[in-house]
Amino acid sequence: MDIASVSNPRIKRLVALRDRRERDREGVFVVEGIRELERAVSAGLRPLEIYYDPGRFPGPPVPADVALSVAPDGMDRASYRRRSQGVIGIFARFDMDLDHLAPPPSPLYLLAESIEKPGNLGALLRTADAVGAAGLIVTDTGADPFSPNVIRSSTGALFSIPVAVATLDRAVTWLRGHDIKIFAADPGAADVLWSVDLTGPCAIVAGSEHAGLSDRARSAADSLVRIPMHGEGDSLNVSVSMAVLAYEALRQRRPHS
Amino acid sequence: MDIASVSNPRIKRLVALRDRRERDREGVFVVEGIRELERAVSAGLRPLEIYYDPGRFPGPPVPADVALSVAPDGMDRASYRRRSQGVIGIFARFDMDLDHLAPPPSPLYLLAESIEKPGNLGALLRTADAVGAAGLIVTDTGADPFSPNVIRSSTGALFSIPVAVATLDRAVTWLRGHDIKIFAADPGAADVLWSVDLTGPCAIVAGSEHAGLSDRARSAADSLVRIPMHGEGDSLNVSVSMAVLAYEALRQRRPHS
């Protein structure tokens, strides 16, 4: 089926979905880009619709039964990106409730407080994916995990890593209920990361860029962990801190250590 | 001395310095924000001029002999930030030639190829500062290290960490000349980071976000090192990779290991 005209109602709606309120109203999110769409589909998500410009995307994309070809100007109008790769998928939002997380044996969770910037949340998802985390829990977040910026900067990791959004209290209760120890990154901690045992079930907690670790997270932690800082600065980017701590956990957990 | 009017020639010039070409022409860079300016001054840099709005910045800032008070509208017009902290310093650019780097015993250098985004360069500087690197070498960079975005996202680390800009060939020659071993991060490497010896003089090399490690960097490396990837993605953000590798070097180098 071809939809050549920008005035076509479906293209009009696709363009309208650039607006968060419209996406919220429909309960959908938008995935743009070849790699991101492939990762969403290979993670088992089924698109409601896919729009593609055959001049840029030799289609039809999979699954073909929901694919609609679009004229170049319609694609450009609907695209978030400066240089569109010619394919956009629409998906129903999935649930990010804590109860959907199913901890494997000796899970490694990442818990980030108060992430405001979509780029930081996307980078965290990439880190969580790289370390093979059992999931990423975000508390009191201002960033919408379904925003196009998060999907883009996560390079699609949003689809491969279980994500939960919760209050800190609920997250702590959930972790305790699953016997998962809480290690919080704190520049004032006595113990450095290399001297704590991260081989058991654990959650690594990092505070926000601006406020640092909250007092409530600090008191909820089973253990505070310090990443040594050797320069003038007093903090690392949150996804950098998480990666340094998570790779130390992987080092400790590797066979023949 | 007070400069109340936006039409004052000095304010006009300050506003003109928002333009990179104007900064290039004058050979200066602009530091905005209280923390960043403090870090520049405490690193031993002497501002040519400082402009401040006494309503926002209880001045005069140090060094007072080059400080000029400015009316709020002049400050807002000159500011890059949405919410100005009321202080802007102008500095002469410093030299980023490799020959200014003076390697300490067993130095740890970070070398990044083809960094395009100012935010990535800023994050790398923060990482270099945190790990106490002897310096950051950037090759074939598209990002201007003196850009306001780099200074801001580095939170001032540009002033505390020695930075050199060079071609890859010159950087490799320089490192070899100082008996510094080159470890390049490569997802296809046989050795994982935990099994290589990073205790000697070394430079950690990471490729660009998009192209990865260049063939020339790969063949120039004494050793290729792999950061294990456990997810769907095949790469980490460059400052995350650098931090993971550099903290492994610090772990190996710490006393009583």
Side-chain angles (χ1 to χ4, degrees), chain A residues 39 126 129-130 132 160 194 227-233 235-237 240 243-244 247 250-251 254, chain B residues 39 126 129-130 132 160 194 227-233 235-237 240 243-244 247 250-251 254:
Chain A
R39 285 184 69 176
R126 253 177 105 183
D129 176 77
S160 54
W194 306 305
I227 299 175
M229 302 289 293
H230 295 275
E232 295 290 319
S235 70
L236 284 161
N237 173 283
V240 172
V244 169
Y247 273 104
L250 295 188
R251 186 189 70 81
R254 77 193 190 282
Chain B
R39 285 184 70 177
R126 255 177 104 182
D129 176 78
S160 54
W194 307 305
I227 299 175
M229 303 288 293
H230 295 273
E232 295 291 317
S235 71
L236 284 162
N237 174 284
V240 172
V244 169
Y247 273 104
L250 295 189
R251 186 189 70 81
R254 77 192 191 282

mmCIF file of all heavy atoms in Angstrom, chain A residues 39 126 129-130 132 160 194 227-233 235-237 240 243-244 247 250-251 254, chain B residues 39 126 129-130 132 160 194 227-233 235-237 240 243-244 247 250-251 254:
data_model
loop_
_atom_site.group_PDB
_atom_site.id
_atom_site.type_symbol
_atom_site.label_atom_id
_atom_site.label_comp_id
_atom_site.label_asym_id
_atom_site.label_seq_id
_atom_site.Cartn_x
_atom_site.Cartn_y
_atom_site.Cartn_z
ATOM 1 N N ARG A 39 16.637 -3.838 16.579
ATOM 2 C CA ARG A 39 16.811 -4.299 17.955
ATOM 3 C C ARG A 39 15.468 -4.437 18.666
ATOM 4 O O ARG A 39 15.279 -5.348 19.483
ATOM 5 C CB ARG A 39 17.766 -3.378 18.717
ATOM 6 C CG ARG A 39 19.209 -3.637 18.292
ATOM 7 C CD ARG A 39 20.209 -2.837 19.071
ATOM 8 N NE ARG A 39 20.319 -3.265 20.461
ATOM 9 C CZ ARG A 39 21.190 -2.747 21.303
ATOM 10 N NH1 ARG A 39 22.020 -1.800 20.910
ATOM 11 N NH2 ARG A 39 21.242 -3.165 22.549
ATOM 12 N N ARG A 126 22.757 1.770 27.752
ATOM 13 C CA ARG A 126 23.855 1.153 27.014
ATOM 14 C C ARG A 126 24.814 0.451 27.955
ATOM 15 O O ARG A 126 25.283 -0.657 27.680
ATOM 16 C CB ARG A 126 24.639 2.246 26.275
ATOM 17 C CG ARG A 126 24.412 2.265 24.805
ATOM 18 C CD ARG A 126 25.175 3.408 24.197
ATOM 19 N NE ARG A 126 26.349 2.968 23.489
ATOM 20 C CZ ARG A 126 27.226 3.791 22.916
ATOM 21 N NH1 ARG A 126 27.055 5.099 22.983
ATOM 22 N NH2 ARG A 126 28.260 3.318 22.278
ATOM 23 N N ASP A 129 23.189 -2.691 29.340
ATOM 24 C CA ASP A 129 23.230 -3.728 28.301
ATOM 25 C C ASP A 129 24.633 -4.347 28.223
ATOM 26 O O ASP A 129 24.782 -5.570 28.219
ATOM 27 C CB ASP A 129 22.850 -3.092 26.961
ATOM 28 C CG ASP A 129 22.944 -4.056 25.791
ATOM 29 O OD1 ASP A 129 22.038 -4.890 25.648
ATOM 30 O OD2 ASP A 129 23.925 -3.972 25.029
ATOM 31 N N ALA A 130 25.649 -3.492 28.208
ATOM 32 C CA ALA A 130 27.031 -3.978 28.044
ATOM 33 C C ALA A 130 27.454 -4.896 29.188
ATOM 34 O O ALA A 130 28.156 -5.882 28.968
ATOM 35 C CB ALA A 130 27.992 -2.801 27.928
ATOM 36 N N GLY A 132 25.540 -6.675 30.933
ATOM 37 C CA GLY A 132 24.607 -7.779 31.089
ATOM 38 C C GLY A 132 23.805 -7.685 32.366
ATOM 39 O O GLY A 132 23.515 -8.704 33.013
ATOM 40 N N SER A 160 16.444 -4.282 25.007
ATOM 41 C CA SER A 160 17.109 -5.519 25.399
ATOM 42 C C SER A 160 17.300 -5.620 26.912
ATOM 43 O O SER A 160 17.551 -6.704 27.427
ATOM 44 C CB SER A 160 18.466 -5.652 24.686
ATOM 45 O OG SER A 160 19.267 -4.518 24.908
ATOM 46 N N TRP A 194 37.232 -1.837 45.021
ATOM 47 C CA TRP A 194 37.996 -3.069 44.871
ATOM 48 C C TRP A 194 38.031 -3.903 46.154
ATOM 49 O O TRP A 194 38.516 -5.021 46.154
ATOM 50 C CB TRP A 194 39.416 -2.745 44.414
ATOM 51 C CG TRP A 194 39.422 -1.903 43.163
ATOM 52 C CD1 TRP A 194 38.793 -2.201 41.980
ATOM 53 C CD2 TRP A 194 40.054 -0.638 42.970
ATOM 54 N NE1 TRP A 194 39.002 -1.197 41.072
ATOM 55 C CE2 TRP A 194 39.775 -0.226 41.642
ATOM 56 C CE3 TRP A 194 40.841 0.204 43.777
ATOM 57 C CZ2 TRP A 194 40.244 0.987 41.119
ATOM 58 C CZ3 TRP A 194 41.303 1.398 43.252
ATOM 59 C CH2 TRP A 194 41.004 1.783 41.936
ATOM 60 N N ILE A 227 34.480 5.290 44.500
ATOM 61 C CA ILE A 227 35.351 5.233 43.326
ATOM 62 C C ILE A 227 36.414 6.301 43.557
ATOM 63 O O ILE A 227 36.083 7.476 43.689
ATOM 64 C CB ILE A 227 34.563 5.542 42.032
ATOM 65 C CG1 ILE A 227 33.446 4.517 41.817
ATOM 66 C CG2 ILE A 227 35.504 5.572 40.836
ATOM 67 C CD1 ILE A 227 32.555 4.830 40.625
ATOM 68 N N PRO A 228 37.696 5.905 43.649
ATOM 69 C CA PRO A 228 38.723 6.905 43.961
ATOM 70 C C PRO A 228 38.747 8.019 42.914
ATOM 71 O O PRO A 228 38.646 7.752 41.710
ATOM 72 C CB PRO A 228 40.029 6.100 43.916
ATOM 73 C CG PRO A 228 39.630 4.675 44.079
ATOM 74 C CD PRO A 228 38.270 4.556 43.481
ATOM 75 N N MET A 229 38.864 9.248 43.374
ATOM 76 C CA MET A 229 38.926 10.399 42.481
ATOM 77 C C MET A 229 40.288 11.054 42.676
ATOM 78 O O MET A 229 40.629 11.454 43.775
ATOM 79 C CB MET A 229 37.820 11.396 42.834
ATOM 80 C CG MET A 229 36.405 10.826 42.784
ATOM 81 S SD MET A 229 35.823 10.501 41.107
ATOM 82 C CE MET A 229 35.719 12.195 40.516
ATOM 83 N N HIS A 230 41.036 11.162 41.569
ATOM 84 C CA HIS A 230 42.415 11.622 41.680
ATOM 85 C C HIS A 230 42.639 13.029 41.149
ATOM 86 O O HIS A 230 43.774 13.472 41.056
ATOM 87 C CB HIS A 230 43.326 10.650 40.937
ATOM 88 C CG HIS A 230 43.353 9.290 41.562
ATOM 89 N ND1 HIS A 230 44.188 8.979 42.607
ATOM 90 C CD2 HIS A 230 42.618 8.177 41.330
ATOM 91 C CE1 HIS A 230 43.989 7.718 42.969
ATOM 92 N NE2 HIS A 230 43.032 7.212 42.207
ATOM 93 N N GLY A 231 41.580 13.704 40.758
ATOM 94 C CA GLY A 231 41.779 15.021 40.147
ATOM 95 C C GLY A 231 41.127 16.136 40.935
ATOM 96 O O GLY A 231 40.926 16.044 42.148
ATOM 97 N N GLU A 232 40.794 17.180 40.206
ATOM 98 C CA GLU A 232 40.176 18.351 40.813
ATOM 99 C C GLU A 232 38.677 18.156 40.975
ATOM 100 O O GLU A 232 38.053 18.711 41.862
ATOM 101 C CB GLU A 232 40.413 19.577 39.924
ATOM 102 C CG GLU A 232 41.865 19.993 39.788
ATOM 103 C CD GLU A 232 42.384 20.576 41.077
ATOM 104 O OE1 GLU A 232 41.659 21.342 41.737
ATOM 105 O OE2 GLU A 232 43.526 20.239 41.447
ATOM 106 N N GLY A 233 38.088 17.369 40.091
ATOM 107 C CA GLY A 233 36.652 17.165 40.115
ATOM 108 C C GLY A 233 36.237 16.249 41.247
ATOM 109 O O GLY A 233 37.063 15.533 41.822
ATOM 110 N N SER A 235 33.190 14.337 40.969
ATOM 111 C CA SER A 235 32.168 13.388 40.533
ATOM 112 C C SER A 235 32.446 12.932 39.114
ATOM 113 O O SER A 235 33.147 13.579 38.355
ATOM 114 C CB SER A 235 30.778 14.024 40.596
ATOM 115 O OG SER A 235 30.640 15.009 39.591
ATOM 116 N N LEU A 236 31.875 11.776 38.791
ATOM 117 C CA LEU A 236 31.915 11.240 37.430
ATOM 118 C C LEU A 236 30.505 11.281 36.856
ATOM 119 O O LEU A 236 29.533 11.312 37.596
ATOM 120 C CB LEU A 236 32.407 9.788 37.453
ATOM 121 C CG LEU A 236 33.893 9.568 37.666
ATOM 122 C CD1 LEU A 236 34.159 8.147 38.127
ATOM 123 C CD2 LEU A 236 34.659 9.849 36.380
ATOM 124 N N ASN A 237 30.409 11.247 35.570
ATOM 125 C CA ASN A 237 29.112 11.086 34.915
ATOM 126 C C ASN A 237 28.465 9.794 35.429
ATOM 127 O O ASN A 237 29.149 8.805 35.677
ATOM 128 C CB ASN A 237 29.352 11.022 33.399
ATOM 129 C CG ASN A 237 28.101 10.688 32.634
ATOM 130 O OD1 ASN A 237 27.675 9.548 32.601
ATOM 131 N ND2 ASN A 237 27.504 11.690 32.044
ATOM 132 N N VAL A 240 29.227 6.607 33.650
ATOM 133 C CA VAL A 240 30.628 6.230 33.856
ATOM 134 C C VAL A 240 30.789 5.549 35.219
ATOM 135 O O VAL A 240 31.388 4.467 35.318
ATOM 136 C CB VAL A 240 31.560 7.460 33.728
ATOM 137 C CG1 VAL A 240 32.984 7.106 34.129
ATOM 138 C CG2 VAL A 240 31.532 8.030 32.313
ATOM 139 N N ALA A 243 29.336 2.087 35.104
ATOM 140 C CA ALA A 243 30.142 1.152 34.317
ATOM 141 C C ALA A 243 31.366 0.710 35.112
ATOM 142 O O ALA A 243 31.722 -0.481 35.120
ATOM 143 C CB ALA A 243 30.569 1.789 32.999
ATOM 144 N N VAL A 244 32.027 1.636 35.791
ATOM 145 C CA VAL A 244 33.228 1.289 36.560
ATOM 146 C C VAL A 244 32.864 0.287 37.660
ATOM 147 O O VAL A 244 33.549 -0.729 37.854
ATOM 148 C CB VAL A 244 33.881 2.559 37.142
ATOM 149 C CG1 VAL A 244 34.960 2.214 38.159
ATOM 150 C CG2 VAL A 244 34.463 3.429 36.013
ATOM 151 N N TYR A 247 31.662 -3.176 36.009
ATOM 152 C CA TYR A 247 32.760 -3.993 35.472
ATOM 153 C C TYR A 247 33.627 -4.562 36.592
ATOM 154 O O TYR A 247 34.212 -5.633 36.450
ATOM 155 C CB TYR A 247 33.576 -3.221 34.429
ATOM 156 C CG TYR A 247 32.982 -3.366 33.046
ATOM 157 C CD1 TYR A 247 32.261 -2.348 32.459
ATOM 158 C CD2 TYR A 247 33.103 -4.577 32.350
ATOM 159 C CE1 TYR A 247 31.682 -2.499 31.199
ATOM 160 C CE2 TYR A 247 32.530 -4.743 31.099
ATOM 161 C CZ TYR A 247 31.823 -3.708 30.529
ATOM 162 O OH TYR A 247 31.248 -3.886 29.298
ATOM 163 N N LEU A 250 31.802 -7.609 37.473
ATOM 164 C CA LEU A 250 32.059 -8.658 36.473
ATOM 165 C C LEU A 250 33.455 -9.257 36.647
ATOM 166 O O LEU A 250 33.648 -10.458 36.484
ATOM 167 C CB LEU A 250 31.909 -8.100 35.055
ATOM 168 C CG LEU A 250 30.517 -7.631 34.629
ATOM 169 C CD1 LEU A 250 30.515 -7.305 33.139
ATOM 170 C CD2 LEU A 250 29.463 -8.680 34.926
ATOM 171 N N ARG A 251 34.418 -8.406 36.976
ATOM 172 C CA ARG A 251 35.778 -8.919 37.209
ATOM 173 C C ARG A 251 35.762 -9.934 38.356
ATOM 174 O O ARG A 251 36.322 -11.025 38.245
ATOM 175 C CB ARG A 251 36.730 -7.764 37.545
ATOM 176 C CG ARG A 251 38.200 -8.195 37.664
ATOM 177 C CD ARG A 251 39.084 -7.080 38.197
ATOM 178 N NE ARG A 251 38.828 -6.791 39.599
ATOM 179 C CZ ARG A 251 39.328 -7.488 40.625
ATOM 180 N NH1 ARG A 251 40.132 -8.514 40.397
ATOM 181 N NH2 ARG A 251 39.027 -7.175 41.871
ATOM 182 N N ARG A 254 34.031 -13.290 37.358
ATOM 183 C CA ARG A 254 34.468 -14.095 36.213
ATOM 184 C C ARG A 254 35.055 -15.426 36.689
ATOM 185 O O ARG A 254 35.570 -15.510 37.811
ATOM 186 C CB ARG A 254 35.485 -13.333 35.367
ATOM 187 C CG ARG A 254 36.899 -13.282 35.932
ATOM 188 C CD ARG A 254 37.714 -12.257 35.171
ATOM 189 N NE ARG A 254 39.133 -12.315 35.482
ATOM 190 C CZ ARG A 254 39.684 -11.823 36.574
ATOM 191 N NH1 ARG A 254 38.947 -11.249 37.512
ATOM 192 N NH2 ARG A 254 40.984 -11.904 36.758
ATOM 193 N N ARG B 39 38.149 26.934 38.832
ATOM 194 C CA ARG B 39 39.086 25.866 38.470
ATOM 195 C C ARG B 39 40.145 26.363 37.500
ATOM 196 O O ARG B 39 41.296 25.946 37.577
ATOM 197 C CB ARG B 39 38.336 24.653 37.915
ATOM 198 C CG ARG B 39 37.664 23.890 39.059
ATOM 199 C CD ARG B 39 36.988 22.634 38.594
ATOM 200 N NE ARG B 39 37.923 21.593 38.191
ATOM 201 C CZ ARG B 39 37.553 20.388 37.796
ATOM 202 N NH1 ARG B 39 36.272 20.093 37.743
ATOM 203 N NH2 ARG B 39 38.450 19.496 37.463
ATOM 204 N N ARG B 126 36.704 14.869 31.989
ATOM 205 C CA ARG B 126 36.284 14.559 33.361
ATOM 206 C C ARG B 126 36.836 13.211 33.802
ATOM 207 O O ARG B 126 37.290 13.038 34.921
ATOM 208 C CB ARG B 126 34.758 14.490 33.426
ATOM 209 C CG ARG B 126 34.123 15.673 34.062
ATOM 210 C CD ARG B 126 32.621 15.513 34.006
ATOM 211 N NE ARG B 126 32.060 15.123 35.286
ATOM 212 C CZ ARG B 126 30.760 14.880 35.470
ATOM 213 N NH1 ARG B 126 29.916 14.956 34.463
ATOM 214 N NH2 ARG B 126 30.323 14.546 36.660
ATOM 215 N N ASP B 129 40.578 13.451 34.362
ATOM 216 C CA ASP B 129 40.807 14.117 35.648
ATOM 217 C C ASP B 129 40.586 13.136 36.803
ATOM 218 O O ASP B 129 41.417 13.021 37.701
ATOM 219 C CB ASP B 129 39.855 15.313 35.749
ATOM 220 C CG ASP B 129 39.929 16.031 37.085
ATOM 221 O OD1 ASP B 129 40.889 16.808 37.269
ATOM 222 O OD2 ASP B 129 39.052 15.816 37.943
ATOM 223 N N ALA B 130 39.471 12.401 36.742
ATOM 224 C CA ALA B 130 39.118 11.498 37.843
ATOM 225 C C ALA B 130 40.161 10.404 38.050
ATOM 226 O O ALA B 130 40.473 10.036 39.182
ATOM 227 C CB ALA B 130 37.749 10.861 37.582
ATOM 228 N N GLY B 132 43.223 10.613 37.351
ATOM 229 C CA GLY B 132 44.553 11.199 37.553
ATOM 230 C C GLY B 132 45.482 10.921 36.386
ATOM 231 O O GLY B 132 46.688 10.693 36.582
ATOM 232 N N SER B 160 42.717 21.335 34.443
ATOM 233 C CA SER B 160 43.515 20.570 35.402
ATOM 234 C C SER B 160 44.253 19.406 34.742
ATOM 235 O O SER B 160 45.184 18.860 35.327
ATOM 236 C CB SER B 160 42.633 20.058 36.549
ATOM 237 O OG SER B 160 41.530 19.338 36.055
ATOM 238 N N TRP B 194 41.266 -7.491 32.228
ATOM 239 C CA TRP B 194 41.754 -7.955 33.522
ATOM 240 C C TRP B 194 42.986 -8.849 33.408
ATOM 241 O O TRP B 194 43.585 -9.214 34.410
ATOM 242 C CB TRP B 194 40.633 -8.693 34.267
ATOM 243 C CG TRP B 194 39.393 -7.855 34.360
ATOM 244 C CD1 TRP B 194 39.313 -6.585 34.889
ATOM 245 C CD2 TRP B 194 38.065 -8.182 33.923
ATOM 246 N NE1 TRP B 194 38.032 -6.116 34.790
ATOM 247 C CE2 TRP B 194 37.241 -7.072 34.216
ATOM 248 C CE3 TRP B 194 37.499 -9.311 33.330
ATOM 249 C CZ2 TRP B 194 35.876 -7.061 33.929
ATOM 250 C CZ3 TRP B 194 36.140 -9.294 33.040
ATOM 251 C CH2 TRP B 194 35.341 -8.188 33.338
ATOM 252 N N ILE B 227 37.026 -5.099 26.318
ATOM 253 C CA ILE B 227 36.086 -4.946 27.430
ATOM 254 C C ILE B 227 34.928 -5.878 27.110
ATOM 255 O O ILE B 227 34.272 -5.708 26.084
ATOM 256 C CB ILE B 227 35.577 -3.492 27.535
ATOM 257 C CG1 ILE B 227 36.748 -2.525 27.785
ATOM 258 C CG2 ILE B 227 34.546 -3.360 28.639
ATOM 259 C CD1 ILE B 227 36.344 -1.053 27.789
ATOM 260 N N PRO B 228 34.680 -6.877 27.968
ATOM 261 C CA PRO B 228 33.608 -7.833 27.633
ATOM 262 C C PRO B 228 32.262 -7.133 27.472
ATOM 263 O O PRO B 228 31.925 -6.249 28.255
ATOM 264 C CB PRO B 228 33.583 -8.773 28.847
ATOM 265 C CG PRO B 228 34.906 -8.601 29.509
ATOM 266 C CD PRO B 228 35.322 -7.192 29.240
ATOM 267 N N MET B 229 31.537 -7.525 26.440
ATOM 268 C CA MET B 229 30.207 -6.970 26.176
ATOM 269 C C MET B 229 29.203 -8.091 26.311
ATOM 270 O O MET B 229 29.292 -9.091 25.586
ATOM 271 C CB MET B 229 30.156 -6.394 24.760
ATOM 272 C CG MET B 229 31.209 -5.325 24.467
ATOM 273 S SD MET B 229 30.904 -3.752 25.293
ATOM 274 C CE MET B 229 29.420 -3.251 24.433
ATOM 275 N N HIS B 230 28.229 -7.911 27.194
ATOM 276 C CA HIS B 230 27.313 -9.002 27.507
ATOM 277 C C HIS B 230 25.910 -8.804 26.959
ATOM 278 O O HIS B 230 25.018 -9.578 27.274
ATOM 279 C CB HIS B 230 27.251 -9.189 29.022
ATOM 280 C CG HIS B 230 28.553 -9.630 29.611
ATOM 281 N ND1 HIS B 230 28.909 -10.940 29.688
ATOM 282 C CD2 HIS B 230 29.596 -8.926 30.109
ATOM 283 C CE1 HIS B 230 30.113 -11.042 30.233
ATOM 284 N NE2 HIS B 230 30.551 -9.830 30.491
ATOM 285 N N GLY B 231 25.697 -7.741 26.180
ATOM 286 C CA GLY B 231 24.337 -7.468 25.724
ATOM 287 C C GLY B 231 24.203 -7.518 24.220
ATOM 288 O O GLY B 231 24.957 -8.199 23.521
ATOM 289 N N GLU B 232 23.234 -6.777 23.751
ATOM 290 C CA GLU B 232 22.950 -6.717 22.321
ATOM 291 C C GLU B 232 23.877 -5.728 21.626
ATOM 292 O O GLU B 232 24.171 -5.865 20.445
ATOM 293 C CB GLU B 232 21.496 -6.276 22.103
ATOM 294 C CG GLU B 232 20.465 -7.258 22.606
ATOM 295 C CD GLU B 232 20.447 -8.532 21.772
ATOM 296 O OE1 GLU B 232 20.521 -8.442 20.543
ATOM 297 O OE2 GLU B 232 20.364 -9.617 22.378
ATOM 298 N N GLY B 233 24.278 -4.699 22.350
ATOM 299 C CA GLY B 233 25.106 -3.652 21.765
ATOM 300 C C GLY B 233 26.534 -4.125 21.573
ATOM 301 O O GLY B 233 26.962 -5.127 22.138
ATOM 302 N N SER B 235 29.215 -1.703 21.488
ATOM 303 C CA SER B 235 30.163 -0.656 21.865
ATOM 304 C C SER B 235 29.674 0.103 23.084
ATOM 305 O O SER B 235 28.493 0.104 23.409
ATOM 306 C CB SER B 235 30.364 0.322 20.708
ATOM 307 O OG SER B 235 29.199 1.096 20.529
ATOM 308 N N LEU B 236 30.628 0.726 23.760
ATOM 309 C CA LEU B 236 30.324 1.606 24.883
ATOM 310 C C LEU B 236 30.648 3.036 24.470
ATOM 311 O O LEU B 236 31.444 3.265 23.560
ATOM 312 C CB LEU B 236 31.182 1.229 26.088
ATOM 313 C CG LEU B 236 30.776 -0.018 26.863
ATOM 314 C CD1 LEU B 236 31.924 -0.523 27.717
ATOM 315 C CD2 LEU B 236 29.574 0.294 27.750
ATOM 316 N N ASN B 237 30.069 3.988 25.157
ATOM 317 C CA ASN B 237 30.470 5.380 24.975
ATOM 318 C C ASN B 237 31.971 5.504 25.237
ATOM 319 O O ASN B 237 32.517 4.835 26.114
ATOM 320 C CB ASN B 237 29.664 6.236 25.957
ATOM 321 C CG ASN B 237 30.096 7.674 25.975
ATOM 322 O OD1 ASN B 237 31.132 7.991 26.556
ATOM 323 N ND2 ASN B 237 29.346 8.528 25.329
ATOM 324 N N VAL B 240 33.106 6.131 28.728
ATOM 325 C CA VAL B 240 32.835 4.963 29.573
ATOM 326 C C VAL B 240 33.933 3.911 29.371
ATOM 327 O O VAL B 240 34.506 3.405 30.341
ATOM 328 C CB VAL B 240 31.431 4.373 29.271
ATOM 329 C CG1 VAL B 240 31.231 3.053 29.999
ATOM 330 C CG2 VAL B 240 30.331 5.353 29.654
ATOM 331 N N ALA B 243 37.099 5.038 31.042
ATOM 332 C CA ALA B 243 37.028 4.973 32.503
ATOM 333 C C ALA B 243 37.187 3.536 32.981
ATOM 334 O O ALA B 243 37.909 3.259 33.949
ATOM 335 C CB ALA B 243 35.703 5.560 32.996
ATOM 336 N N VAL B 244 36.529 2.600 32.307
ATOM 337 C CA VAL B 244 36.609 1.191 32.711
ATOM 338 C C VAL B 244 38.064 0.709 32.614
ATOM 339 O O VAL B 244 38.596 0.074 33.533
ATOM 340 C CB VAL B 244 35.658 0.319 31.859
ATOM 341 C CG1 VAL B 244 35.922 -1.162 32.068
ATOM 342 C CG2 VAL B 244 34.204 0.656 32.185
ATOM 343 N N TYR B 247 40.356 2.697 35.251
ATOM 344 C CA TYR B 247 40.179 2.240 36.635
ATOM 345 C C TYR B 247 40.760 0.846 36.842
ATOM 346 O O TYR B 247 41.212 0.515 37.935
ATOM 347 C CB TYR B 247 38.716 2.342 37.089
ATOM 348 C CG TYR B 247 38.417 3.726 37.659
ATOM 349 C CD1 TYR B 247 37.701 4.653 36.932
ATOM 350 C CD2 TYR B 247 38.901 4.103 38.910
ATOM 351 C CE1 TYR B 247 37.457 5.928 37.437
ATOM 352 C CE2 TYR B 247 38.665 5.367 39.430
ATOM 353 C CZ TYR B 247 37.945 6.275 38.687
ATOM 354 O OH TYR B 247 37.722 7.532 39.201
ATOM 355 N N LEU B 250 44.277 1.587 37.524
ATOM 356 C CA LEU B 250 44.433 2.074 38.905
ATOM 357 C C LEU B 250 44.322 0.929 39.907
ATOM 358 O O LEU B 250 45.043 0.896 40.906
ATOM 359 C CB LEU B 250 43.388 3.142 39.228
ATOM 360 C CG LEU B 250 43.468 4.453 38.455
ATOM 361 C CD1 LEU B 250 42.492 5.471 39.051
ATOM 362 C CD2 LEU B 250 44.880 5.022 38.475
ATOM 363 N N ARG B 251 43.417 -0.010 39.632
ATOM 364 C CA ARG B 251 43.279 -1.171 40.531
ATOM 365 C C ARG B 251 44.587 -1.947 40.578
ATOM 366 O O ARG B 251 45.084 -2.297 41.647
ATOM 367 C CB ARG B 251 42.147 -2.084 40.046
ATOM 368 C CG ARG B 251 41.843 -3.249 40.998
ATOM 369 C CD ARG B 251 40.877 -4.253 40.387
ATOM 370 N NE ARG B 251 41.487 -5.009 39.310
ATOM 371 C CZ ARG B 251 42.283 -6.071 39.474
ATOM 372 N NH1 ARG B 251 42.562 -6.509 40.679
ATOM 373 N NH2 ARG B 251 42.798 -6.682 38.430
ATOM 374 N N ARG B 254 47.353 0.023 42.536
ATOM 375 C CA ARG B 254 47.180 0.464 43.920
ATOM 376 C C ARG B 254 48.128 -0.299 44.842
ATOM 377 O O ARG B 254 48.508 -1.440 44.558
ATOM 378 C CB ARG B 254 45.739 0.296 44.382
ATOM 379 C CG ARG B 254 45.334 -1.135 44.733
ATOM 380 C CD ARG B 254 43.832 -1.210 44.877
ATOM 381 N NE ARG B 254 43.376 -2.470 45.457
ATOM 382 C CZ ARG B 254 43.285 -3.615 44.798
ATOM 383 N NH1 ARG B 254 43.684 -3.697 43.559
ATOM 384 N NH2 ARG B 254 42.806 -4.685 45.408
#
